[in-house]
């Protein structure tokens, strides 16, 4: 789903969402419509099915609760981890908001005897699934081979990529589960601190 207050973008999106067919094509399903339509741009097939729409409508009824819960979880993580030298927590400018779709920490590898890969493996051994969002484009074969990207040309991306871990965050997550993640992170940092 896309939302915008920009009328020009909205019109372009309407056209691109269904094969680049002009908006007038929708009239063909009304009384004044005709079988004739025009493709005015190279578009996509981005219209959703009725089933997807039904699921979306059901989710929209819960959107406020889900967003509030994600905020609570993010605050719980931040409050527990922000004072740890081994962890950099996300920073959000006071004039900004986030949906907390992800909660990404960065490891301070300068004070740990463990790399990100091993840290993730240790969490997994404790039953905690994490991920890495996102792998930089220059590391993927397509971009590396097509454009000749070399990691040494992207030192900031490399520095961040080596350190980031996305912690579990979802609306149904219980406080006990959040605390379990926090306690495991604390234990690992204590165990592997220089």
């Amino acid at each position: 789903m896309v939302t915008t207050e920009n009328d020009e973008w909205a019109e372009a999106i309407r056209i691109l969402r269904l094969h680049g067919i002009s908006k007038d094509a929708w009239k063909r399903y009304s009384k004044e419509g005709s079988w004739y339509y025009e493709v005015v741009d190279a578009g996509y097939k981005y219209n959703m099915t009725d089933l997807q729409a039904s699921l979306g409508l059901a989710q929209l009824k819960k959107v406020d609760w889900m967003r509030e819960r994600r905020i609570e979880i993010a605050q719980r993580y931040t409050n527990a981890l922000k004072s740890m030298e081994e962890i950099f927590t996300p920073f959000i400018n006071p004039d900004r908001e986030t949906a907390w779709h992800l909660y990404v920490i960065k490891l301070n590898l300068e004070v740990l005897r463990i790399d990100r890969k091993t840290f993730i493996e240790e969490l997994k051994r404790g039953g905690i699934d994490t991920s890495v969002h996102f792998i930089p484009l220059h590391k993927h074969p397509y971009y590396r081979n097509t454009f000749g990207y070399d990691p040494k040309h992207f030192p900031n991306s490399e520095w961040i990529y080596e350190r980031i871990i996305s912690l579990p965050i979802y609306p149904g997550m219980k406080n006990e589960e959040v605390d379990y993640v926090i306690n495991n992170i604390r234990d690992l940092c204590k165990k592997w601190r220089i």
Side-chain angles (χ1 to χ4, degrees):
M1 178 179 10
V2 178
T3 61
T4 180
E5 292 180 358
N6 184 310
D7 293 337
E8 188 177 321
W9 294 356
E11 182 58 28
I13 290 166
R14 281 186 200 99
I15 290 170
L16 292 174
R17 73 178 171 185
L18 188 58
H19 309 297
I21 296 173
S22 71
K23 67 177 183 176
D24 292 336
W26 289 102
K27 290 182 183 173
R28 66 187 172 156
Y29 298 112
S30 67
K31 290 179 184 175
E32 69 268 5
S34 163
W35 58 267
Y36 184 78
Y37 63 91
E38 291 182 322
V39 174
V40 296
D41 203 345
Y44 309 91
K45 182 157 176 52
Y46 284 165
N47 57 315
M48 67 172 68
T49 66
D50 289 347
L51 180 59
Q52 291 168 319
S54 296
L55 290 170
L57 289 172
Q59 289 292 88
L60 282 173
K61 292 176 185 172
K62 300 186 278 185
V63 72
D64 291 331
W65 169 82
M66 291 190 301
R67 182 172 185 277
E68 288 168 15
R69 182 60 186 144
R70 285 179 179 274
I71 290 170
E72 290 171 9
I73 295 168
Q75 287 173 340
R76 197 171 189 93
Y77 277 144
T78 299
N79 291 338
L81 302 174
K82 70 181 174 187
S83 63
M84 295 178 62
E85 185 181 6
E86 301 87 355
I87 304 292
F88 298 112
T89 56
F91 173 78
I92 308 299
N93 283 323
D95 64 335
R96 311 288 164 78
E97 290 185 19
T98 176
W100 292 112
H101 168 64
L102 300 171
Y103 189 91
V104 181
I105 61 170
K106 289 189 288 289
L107 298 178
N108 184 353
L109 296 178
E110 287 67 34
V111 299
L112 290 168
R113 294 177 290 114
I114 189 173
D115 64 7
R116 192 260 322 269
K117 180 181 178 203
T118 311
F119 201 96
I120 288 172
E121 289 169 358
E122 292 276 331
L123 287 172
K124 188 161 188 72
R125 272 195 271 283
I128 300 168
D129 289 325
T130 60
S131 192
V132 174
H133 292 92
F134 291 93
I135 300 171
L137 290 181
H138 69 270
K139 292 194 142 322
H140 292 286
Y142 171 79
Y143 295 97
R144 198 173 53 240
N145 297 337
T146 304
F147 301 107
Y149 288 162
D150 187 325
K152 70 182 176 198
H153 296 131
F154 304 95
N156 293 334
S157 290
E158 286 292 305
W159 187 91
I160 290 170
Y161 174 65
E162 291 170 358
R163 289 160 172 76
I164 57 173
I165 301 174
S166 297
L167 300 182
I169 185 168
Y170 55 92
M173 196 172 184
K174 296 180 178 102
N175 285 342
E176 298 79 26
E177 294 169 321
V178 177
D179 292 342
Y180 181 76
V181 173
I182 291 166
N183 290 333
N184 273 266
I185 289 171
R186 284 181 175 154
D187 290 347
L188 282 174
C189 288
K190 185 178 179 182
K191 176 182 177 182
W192 294 102
R193 194 172 197 313
I194 291 176

